[in-house]
Amino acid sequence: MRQLLIIFSLLILVSCGEKATTSSNESVSSSSTGYNKIEWQNMDSDQDGSVSPDEMKQHYKDEGVYK
């Protein structure tokens, strides 16, 4: 029983270390995709401070992304 507890504890520690590594890699990849360069205020047609899915679709239709 004690060995199982030790193994379980080690697995938890290893998985926590992997999550920390993954989160730092995600921040690098999100900046390289251009997500931070999106001009959200241009999509907010009613200027309420948030972009609804309909506003986003309309913006992309106007910009020629959707056909």
Side-chain angles (χ1 to χ4, degrees):
M1 184 69 176
R2 186 175 179 190
Q3 290 175 340
L4 288 175
L5 182 61
I6 292 171
I7 292 171
F8 184 70
S9 299
L10 288 173
L11 288 173
I12 290 175
L13 289 173
V14 169
S15 68
C16 289
E18 289 176 1
K19 287 180 184 175
T21 304
T22 303
S23 64
S24 66
N25 289 340
E26 288 174 0
S27 65
V28 171
S29 65
S30 67
S31 64
S32 65
T33 60
Y35 182 81
N36 294 332
K37 296 179 181 178
I38 296 174
E39 295 181 8
W40 296 103
Q41 60 273 28
N42 291 341
M43 290 185 205
D44 190 10
S45 61
D46 58 1
Q47 300 297 315
D48 64 349
S50 65
V51 178
S52 70
D54 292 332
E55 288 174 326
M56 195 175 295
K57 283 182 189 177
Q58 188 60 45
H59 174 76
Y60 285 130
K61 278 184 182 178
D62 295 343
E63 294 296 318
V65 177
Y66 294 134
K67 296 179 181 180

